Amino acid sequence: MKTVLTIWNARIAPVFDVAGQALIVVSENGAALFEESLELNGVSAMAKIARLAEVQADVLICGAISRQALSAANASGIEVHSFISGDIREVLQAWLEGRLGEIAFAMPGCGPKQGGCRRRGRGRGKTEKAVS
Amino acid sequence: MNAENNDGGFFAPTKAILESISDGVFTVDLNWRITSFNRAAEEITGIPRNVASGRLCSEVFKSSMCEADCALKRTLKNRKPVINKSGYIIDAEGSRIPVSVSTAVLRDENGKVIGGAETFRDLSEIAALRKELDGRFGLGDLISHSRAMQPIFDTAASLAASSITVLIHGETGTGKELLARAIHGIGERAQKPFVAVNCGALPDTLLESELFGYKKGAFTGAVRDKQGRFALAGDGTLFLDEIGEISPALQVRLLRVLQERTYEPLGATKPETANARIIVATNRDLAAMVKNGEFRQDLYYRINVISLELPPLRKRMEDIPLLVEHFVERFNRLQNKNVTGFTPGAYSMLMAHKWPGNVRELENVVERAFVLCTAKWISPEHLPVELTGYRPLSVESVNMESTRRVAEEQSILGALKRNNFNRVAAARELGIHKTTLYRKLKELDLPLPAHDGRSAHHGQ
């Protein structure tokens, strides 16, 4: 599985639409096998989604994301976990262990008590996958 | 400022004021953690202050400025306030809310810097009101004052709710894709994808796999399934630009999709359903192409259910000031500049141009001027030679002499153009003797057409 996490200052970037850097992580059975960085700087949100589709990302983990970008990601078959915050290593570990839904990783105002944000969007045309 | 003392983290005397205003206000410590958050900040962001407090401001504010161009960071670095910087924040629903922010350094009673303060204003309502006050009408990102555009906006608005195929015709640069996006954006499919394909930009075989996709093993190199644009558009809108450029073979395939609403990806054994609304556009005369046998008649009738004709910019010149204002606003925001607008001299050159490249050409001219302009006003020297008719002076060498020269050049050229290059009439308009005009023309080395406005064959 190929997961992309947008990064800023070693944390999940606050806004996907303007994020400049991302980390690609290839994992299998809950273990990260390979990592590489991905440049997203200077292009529109739609072009960033096109870039993710180009590298054949399965999952995107990011901070706030606009509705338009979320729709485009879903249309490209990318599963999106948005409005996530936290240290990039802790978020990655939580994702690999299937704990990303924990309140600690929700952006402020996006926890269940605040009514949540549009945190998940499943890509079209993909089969359900177990969290790797 | 002690952030520990009151609700919201503000001093008691200032609390009442900060709680009553409609601007959001928050303060941060030197680690970018929120130390105070007023009522309006809660309302605009939708985040209660007890949740925001102690969290990183970028993760609370979720603004387009945080990562690359944080106003607070700049203020704390330069110790100078930033006033009314524009951007947007993303709310819990994923909506982009336009905001303007202002920042200031926060010091304690001894003058020591302890953090920063940011005020921000929700501009959504102001943007809507301004649009109304301007008397402009528009659709999506298309704006106009022109009567020629009103029927197009009306028809497009009524088409948005249906799934009918639309043909948009217009010269290059008139905004065909913007109109298609606008129709998509106000309809029921707005939350679904809008996928644009330029049919003229891809060779035929590539276009076919791009539109319909392919299955693994369909050809050498097809190592996995690839979704086509029809599939990516899903229940949204597929915009096919330059439809007049597609080959006869692809015309047949496209006709079948439009008629049967199904298609087969390359290498597939069963058909897939096409649910997307189709909007096509061209700058070519499709009816003439049908007559010449270059475009299938059945496909033409299938796509020409409703057609919209976008007029060229030269037929709606009254829109130039509105469009210029729109582009100036946009480039100020994008390039972080504070350009006020165009000088009257520069405007007259914009109005005298024929704009063969239409709105796109105008946008490029404004963008180019932004790159060259270091002042508040864009003047003729920042415009390309196609508009001014003379080589601009070096932007760096702006002094009294060059300013006088530019002013003289633009006055003379303007008068000549208005008088169809009749030198005597131009001199009369300028209030100078014709010999003075001839001397100035020689001094300034201005290029002139061979005719002089009295006779088409009479040289100077």
Side-chain angles (χ1 to χ4, degrees):
Chain A
M1 175 180 284
K2 196 175 265 188
T3 304
V4 174
L5 303 96
T6 48
I7 309 178
W8 180 57
N9 286 348
R11 294 178 67 82
I12 294 289
V15 177
F16 169 81
D17 298 44
V18 292
Q21 287 289 328
L23 180 71
I24 302 177
V25 180
V26 178
S27 63
E28 202 175 288
N29 300 324
L33 304 177
F34 174 74
E35 287 184 10
E36 68 175 321
S37 62
L38 176 68
E39 181 74 33
L40 294 173
N41 212 6
V43 295
S44 68
M46 293 301 157
K48 289 181 208 297
I49 296 293
R51 186 86 186 91
L52 299 191
E54 205 176 289
V55 300
Q56 300 179 343
D58 297 299
V59 176
L60 166 66
I61 297 174
C62 61
I65 184 169
S66 65
R67 269 203 302 273
Q68 295 87 336
L70 181 65
S71 300
N74 289 338
S76 301
I78 301 167
E79 181 183 316
V80 181
H81 294 260
S82 57
F83 292 93
I84 299 290
S85 67
D87 177 272
I88 197 79
R89 291 291 146 199
E90 289 174 18
V91 170
L92 177 59
Q93 197 55 40
W95 165 242
L96 294 172
E97 292 169 7
R99 298 184 287 107
L100 197 59
E102 287 178 6
I103 178 91
F105 299 108
M107 288 189 101
C110 295
K113 279 186 185 170
Q114 288 93 49
C117 298
R118 292 166 60 100
R119 291 185 64 189
R120 287 195 76 177
R122 181 163 291 281
R124 289 184 310 106
K126 296 235 169 186
T127 50
E128 273 309 291
K129 287 175 189 148
V131 174
S132 68
Chain B
M1 182 173 190
N2 181 353
E4 306 293 326
N5 46 4
N6 273 300
D7 283 350
F10 297 112
F11 274 135
T14 52
K15 186 186 163 209
I17 300 169
L18 289 170
E19 292 296 280
S20 66
I21 61 173
S22 59
D23 285 4
V25 181
F26 67 81
T27 58
V28 295
D29 62 19
L30 293 172
N31 295 315
W32 310 105
R33 303 270 172 186
I34 301 271
T35 50
S36 57
F37 209 66
N38 77 340
R39 180 195 53 80
E42 287 184 309
E43 277 177 17
I44 298 170
T45 62
I47 302 173
R49 64 185 55 155
N50 64 323
V51 174
S53 185
R55 303 294 299 263
L56 287 170
C57 57
S58 58
E59 291 173 5
V60 171
F61 199 42
K62 305 178 190 83
S63 153
S64 59
M65 295 168 264
C66 296
E67 185 171 327
D69 194 16
C70 173
L72 255 182
K73 190 175 179 183
R74 207 183 326 153
T75 291
L76 287 180
K77 188 178 171 197
N78 304 333
R79 302 286 193 261
K80 283 182 184 165
V82 169
I83 308 292
N84 282 340
K85 184 172 165 49
S86 301
Y88 62 83
I89 59 174
I90 293 184
D91 71 5
E93 293 301 314
S95 302
R96 287 181 177 186
I97 300 172
V99 291
S100 74
V101 305
S102 300
T103 55
V105 176
L106 208 59
R107 297 173 191 273
D108 66 11
E109 54 273 21
N110 301 317
K112 187 182 163 201
V113 175
I114 56 167
E118 180 159 322
T119 63
F120 56 102
R121 182 170 296 179
D122 181 349
L123 298 179
S124 325
E125 205 170 329
I126 292 172
L129 284 171
R130 184 178 293 158
K131 222 173 184 179
E132 221 168 278
L133 279 173
D134 284 351
R136 69 175 79 168
F137 44 87
L139 195 71
D141 284 340
L142 281 174
I143 48 167
S144 178
H145 273 314
S146 165
R147 287 185 185 280
M149 292 291 282
Q150 180 70 63
I152 294 167
F153 290 156
D154 290 346
T155 313
S158 60
L159 286 174
S162 74
S163 289
I164 207 163
T165 303
V166 181
L167 168 64
I168 301 171
H169 188 264
E171 289 180 11
T172 182
T174 45
K176 296 187 285 294
E177 184 171 340
L178 283 183
L179 180 58
R181 280 185 188 278
I183 293 171
H184 169 79
I186 57 171
E188 285 172 2
R189 297 169 188 261
Q191 300 306 319
K192 310 284 183 187
F194 176 91
V195 176
V197 182
N198 186 331
C199 301
L202 296 169
D204 210 41
T205 45
L206 201 56
L207 181 60
E208 189 169 357
S209 67
E210 197 62 33
L211 285 177
F212 304 114
Y214 55 77
K215 294 289 178 188
K216 183 180 173 181
F219 49 84
T220 311
V223 290
R224 58 187 276 177
D225 290 0
K226 181 189 184 327
Q227 284 191 311
R229 301 296 177 105
F230 270 100
L232 288 175
D235 297 330
T237 301
L238 180 64
F239 174 62
L240 302 173
D241 199 2
E242 295 193 37
I243 192 75
E245 308 305 319
I246 63 172
S247 71
L250 204 53
Q251 288 176 29
V252 176
R253 286 205 69 181
L254 192 58
L255 177 65
R256 193 185 152 206
V257 181
L258 291 173
Q259 281 175 336
E260 297 171 19
R261 286 276 157 197
T262 60
Y263 65 96
E264 279 169 21
L266 281 166
T269 50
K270 56 179 184 180
E272 292 188 15
T273 311
N275 294 322
R277 182 206 197 135
I278 312 291
I279 300 180
V280 301
T282 184
N283 57 4
R284 299 184 65 180
D285 183 351
L286 287 186
M289 288 178 75
V290 169
K291 269 188 191 167
N292 298 336
E294 298 168 71
F295 200 83
R296 288 183 69 97
Q297 192 172 36
D298 41 11
L299 178 61
Y300 175 65
Y301 287 128
R302 181 62 68 169
I303 59 175
N304 192 23
V305 185
I306 293 277
S307 67
L308 297 169
E309 175 85 30
L310 276 170
L313 186 55
R314 65 182 171 279
K315 288 193 178 163
R316 53 182 186 114
M317 295 294 274
E318 66 271 37
D319 273 344
I320 286 182
L322 178 67
L323 290 165
V324 165
E325 188 191 321
H326 173 72
F327 292 137
V328 166
E329 255 174 46
R330 204 170 88 216
F331 290 123
N332 270 333
R333 206 166 56 237
L334 290 177
Q335 298 183 15
N336 197 25
K337 285 196 164 185
N338 197 18
V339 171
T340 311
F342 282 61
T343 61
Y347 251 122
S348 66
M349 287 175 173
L350 296 181
M351 298 304 285
H353 189 57
K354 294 293 177 206
W355 300 107
N358 292 298
V359 184
R360 188 182 295 132
E361 185 188 2
L362 175 62
E363 184 180 7
N364 291 343
V365 164
V366 178
E367 188 173 14
R368 177 189 186 276
F370 258 73
V371 173
L372 297 177
C373 179
T374 50
K376 274 191 162 278
W377 292 94
I378 291 169
S379 53
E381 68 202 62
H382 304 121
L383 298 179
V385 70
E386 305 87 78
L387 271 76
T388 57
Y390 63 88
R391 279 186 73 78
L393 293 167
S394 163
V395 178
E396 275 99 37
S397 65
V398 176
N399 52 35
M400 282 301 285
E401 177 54 25
S402 65
T403 307
R404 182 190 63 77
R405 188 184 162 93
V406 167
E408 281 188 353
E409 279 181 358
Q410 71 189 54
S411 305
I412 291 170
L413 272 173
L416 283 165
K417 276 186 183 175
R418 282 190 295 278
N419 291 285
N420 196 24
F421 292 91
N422 182 322
R423 281 71 152 166
V424 176
R428 198 181 303 126
E429 184 189 315
L430 291 165
I432 56 176
H433 195 269
K434 65 178 180 183
T435 52
T436 310
L437 177 63
Y438 280 114
R439 183 171 51 78
K440 290 276 181 196
L441 287 170
K442 202 174 171 189
E443 258 177 38
L444 297 168
D445 193 24
L446 290 175
L448 290 172
H451 71 93
D452 68 358
R454 288 174 297 157
S455 158
H457 304 290
H458 185 72
Q460 191 181 332

